[in-house]
Amino acid sequence: MDETCNFAVTLARNGCIATSPLHPSSAFSINILELYRHTSSRCPSLSIQAFMRAICDLHQISFNHVMRKHFSEAFDVYLEIINLIKFDLDNAMFKSSFSQIEHDCPACAYRTQDEAELKFSLLCCMDGNSSLKRLYRTRNDGDDVHTGIEVPDERTRASHLFVEAAEVDEFKDEVKRRRPAAKVLTKTSPCVDRWKNLSQESKKRMWGVFQETGVFIVSCRHGVVLKLCDMIRSGELAKYPLALIDKVVKTFGEDIMCGYDIGCGFSTTASKSAKLGKFLKEKRCRFCVNAFHGHAHCRPCQLRWHPLYTEGAGLEDFEGCERIFSESNKVAACTRHASVFHRRQAIIRHFTRWNADKYAELSHFLKGNYVQALTNITNMGPEFERAKQSLGIASNETILQWHAEEKGYLKSLKDAPQVDLLAMSYVESLKNLHNARQNYHAVSGRWQAMEADNIRKVSFYLADTTRTQSIETQRITGLDRVLTLQSDVELKEAKLGVKMRWTENDEDWKKASRNTAMRDYQRAIDSVEGLVVQRLFEISRLNRAGTCDRLRTHISKALQSRSKAIRNAVARYNLAADGVFPARPRLDIKTVLEYVFLGQFDLLRDSRFNVQDKPWAHAAEREAILAYFKLERSREEIVRLNVEVRRLSTFIRDSERDMDRVVSLLKERDLGLAHQMEKRQTIQRSVNNVHRKRLTEIEGLRGFSGERGSGTYAGNGARDGAYDSRMCAASETNNEEVESSSDEEDDDEEGADAIIDLLTVAYQE
């Protein structure tokens, strides 16, 4: 061992990590470093400075800012040691990167023989989040010229989760090769105007002050993060989901369902991608919208893309990314001003811990979903059968027929006849001209009623100056308005080619009037819908954790004002509904405030015939349709859960056998690494014991229909080959260079030597 490292090694043997490999001036206890590692993992917003201040308070000494810098340096070294140990343990355990994914989420990846065939082999979701930004340090050189002043840091932190920027940029030109997104998506998705991440790529720019503007992730339905990448100087560009879905499909194979809040529009983007379009089609990869976000999409979009109406989706809501971001937002406090290396380090630490937690909660997820599905079937099944009898529904085919009719009806609205806006404007001008002439004649009549002899007298004006000036002003203003409207009418007549001015008895007048009434009616619907949307978001924000009292008060006042505005909007709607033919159903404020699905407004928009005559538009029939699809998705959920329960049970048995085998092999070649593997094994068994208890509870549920016990692994290769031969060679080489421990040393001393060896490697890196 290099003599210059003797002092640092001596400190390590005594349980301390030095802040410098050559001439350290301070060192920190491994126990303190380990305490901060676990504490900051559970509370990501805990900064090093806050932790060091707490330590100083505990020891009753004054805090010095140099302590923060020294602790950060020692902590980086300690994390490097931990990561090197983890790297060697992973090499010993996993044959490939997919083996790592099997370990992260066995319910998704650890397939068994003779399991039930699922329509979708993987249910996942993806989304972007802008919380984990990082400021780009620059210097203003004048003339709006900024120069980067960041200190170069060549350190890297690799992870099987991260997709690097170079790989993402392979898809950066996929959107530019076609027409602008808004023009393409308008034909296939009416949701373009509702979602800003469906806007044109040129609009997706982030402030230049940030280098990394967030992260984009893909997670499975159990909450395990499968892949993520940085968003660099931009918002949610199409290249991020394209790059990640490419990785996921290549890893998991065919028949993947992915939820995305703009899945309706992104499906078009992916299918038109030169790199991925054909590949995704061959792999039968499909997209949908998230359950909660889906309710903000229009009704035609819901019927095609919402998971409730998607066969094979089960009870999955595809909102896992939102739950992940609610936790990862806490990391933002430590990434905003961090270096590239420390930001990446914090993110990897967080999501590694998150995935470990999701594995520990996996059996809880399976049990909760199984109970939910059984409850739906038990409670909703009899209610659905009673509803079928009361509504005279002969079979479920009638439900599917109604559903198909609604989809066809809403699709036909796209082919609605074009409205002649110029004719509508012409009729409005005629009506305004008629009203202006009436007002002018009324004012002129008052003027003409005055006797001419009185008007000639000066005393007449002096007697009532205000009244006479007002009449004269009204007469002149009225005449100007008549002349202006007359000119406007003549101009429109010339454009329309009208030879004889329309009257109320003309068919063209009646048609334009009907179109105008329908336009006012639909505007009234839009007004009510917009106010209801704002109310829903304000209510959700009011109940959100972390909302301060001052903001709650502000939102409460806004809700009061919003309710008044909704009442006024409903009144305008009812007036407009009475003005169309045939008259549309009136609304009451109570019904509107109970609207939670924005698609309910779409059924009011028809302008050609009364959709309320359709059976699927009635409240009772719609409830029956919803109950049918919920029951179908619940039955699908049971089938998927039976498969996932058996996968988890099989993985627990096989993984423990693998770890026992690896520990035995490591004890023959690397006692220090064997000690670390035993520590991992202890944690794994503790978690697995909880899983076994819950799996037994699942198998004991009344209504459980899956196979009990463990199955047989259906992956590639035998399980007894998990120990990587490359790790054996690396361990043997390492043991030749480092003085081996004596047979009498206990496990603690073996672990200390392993840490010292890794410490030397870390300093050399």
Side-chain angles (χ1 to χ4, degrees), residues 95 148 218 325 331 341 346 352 406 442 492 518 527 590 596 763:
K95 297 173 60 179
V218 175
F325 293 144
V331 186
F341 171 77
T352 301
E406 183 182 3
K492 291 176 180 176
M518 182 54 63
S527 177
K590 182 179 179 181
V596 293
Y763 279 138

Side-chain angles (χ1 to χ4, degrees), residues 575-644:
L575 183 63
D578 294 337
V580 297
F581 181 82
R584 296 302 186 262
R586 296 173 66 90
L587 295 176
D588 60 84
I589 185 65
K590 182 179 179 181
T591 302
V592 172
L593 292 179
E594 291 176 353
Y595 277 8
V596 293
F597 302 143
L598 301 187
Q600 293 175 266
F601 288 98
D602 292 325
L603 296 180
L604 303 173
R605 300 183 188 275
D606 179 36
S607 60
R608 287 173 287 170
F609 54 91
N610 193 355
V611 70
Q612 300 301 322
D613 293 338
K614 299 294 183 180
W616 43 264
H618 298 161
E621 282 79 355
R622 293 185 70 78
E623 288 296 327
I625 295 173
L626 287 174
Y628 168 78
F629 282 107
K630 287 181 180 178
L631 284 171
E632 288 297 304
R633 300 293 85 81
S634 296
R635 296 187 181 102
E636 293 171 358
E637 184 72 13
I638 291 292
V639 175
R640 180 172 290 275
L641 288 171
N642 288 338
V643 171
E644 292 178 345

Side-chain angles (χ1 to χ4, degrees), residues 256-504:
I256 293 176
M257 165 72 79
C258 184
Y260 189 18
D261 53 12
I262 55 168
C264 53
F266 180 73
S267 178
T268 302
T269 301
S271 64
K272 291 182 178 295
S273 169
K275 291 181 176 292
L276 283 183
K278 184 178 179 181
F279 173 69
L280 295 180
K281 185 177 181 180
E282 292 174 350
K283 296 297 183 178
R284 297 184 295 278
C285 179
R286 181 176 173 181
F287 299 93
C288 68
V289 297
N290 309 351
F292 175 76
H293 289 83
H295 293 310
H297 287 247
C298 61
R299 185 62 180 172
C301 183
Q302 291 182 30
L303 294 178
R304 182 178 178 185
W305 302 102
H306 197 281
L308 178 64
Y309 306 108
T310 303
E311 182 183 357
L315 296 179
E316 177 57 31
D317 59 5
F318 297 95
E319 295 287 356
C321 291
E322 302 301 328
R323 291 184 278 272
I324 293 173
F325 293 144
S326 68
E327 187 71 17
S328 66
N329 288 344
K330 301 174 183 177
V331 186
C334 298
T335 63
R336 190 63 50 87
H337 300 278
S339 65
V340 176
F341 171 77
H342 285 117
R343 176 183 175 275
R344 174 71 67 91
Q345 178 176 268
I347 292 174
I348 291 177
R349 286 184 60 215
H350 170 77
F351 285 116
T352 301
R353 191 269 304 167
W354 171 270
N355 283 356
D357 287 348
K358 291 299 103 178
Y359 173 76
E361 298 169 2
L362 184 54
S363 58
H364 178 74
F365 175 94
L366 299 178
K367 181 182 177 182
N369 277 33
Y370 217 115
V371 171
Q372 180 187 359
L374 290 176
T375 302
N376 288 348
I377 295 173
T378 303
N379 296 340
M380 297 178 62
E383 294 179 2
F384 175 65
E385 294 300 326
R386 287 192 295 268
K388 286 173 60 177
Q389 294 179 2
S390 63
L391 296 173
I393 301 175
S395 66
N396 293 340
E397 294 298 324
T398 304
I399 298 289
L400 295 175
Q401 182 181 354
W402 288 351
H403 182 65
E405 286 181 2
E406 183 182 3
K407 291 174 66 176
Y409 158 75
L410 293 171
K411 183 179 180 181
S412 69
L413 293 182
K414 298 179 181 179
D415 303 324
Q418 296 295 320
V419 176
D420 192 341
L421 298 179
L422 184 58
M424 293 168 56
S425 177
Y426 172 58
V427 171
E428 285 184 352
S429 297
L430 288 176
K431 292 179 179 179
N432 292 335
L433 178 60
H434 176 72
N435 294 333
R437 281 175 174 172
Q438 285 186 333
N439 293 335
Y440 174 71
H441 291 323
V443 175
S444 298
R446 293 170 59 189
W447 178 262
Q448 293 172 1
M450 300 178 184
E451 295 181 3
D453 293 338
N454 292 335
I455 295 176
R456 294 189 181 99
K457 297 178 182 179
V458 177
S459 59
F460 173 80
Y461 291 96
L462 296 176
D464 196 354
T465 305
T466 303
R467 184 177 67 87
T468 55
Q469 287 180 347
S470 175
I471 294 174
E472 179 65 13
T473 301
Q474 292 178 21
R475 188 181 72 84
I476 295 174
T477 303
L479 179 59
D480 289 342
R481 180 168 175 76
V482 169
L483 294 175
T484 301
L485 289 171
Q486 178 66 35
S487 176
D488 182 56
V489 167
E490 292 174 354
L491 178 62
K492 291 176 180 176
E493 286 176 340
K495 291 184 177 181
L496 288 169
V498 176
K499 296 181 180 180
M500 184 175 292
R501 184 161 294 177
W502 293 355
T503 64
E504 295 181 0

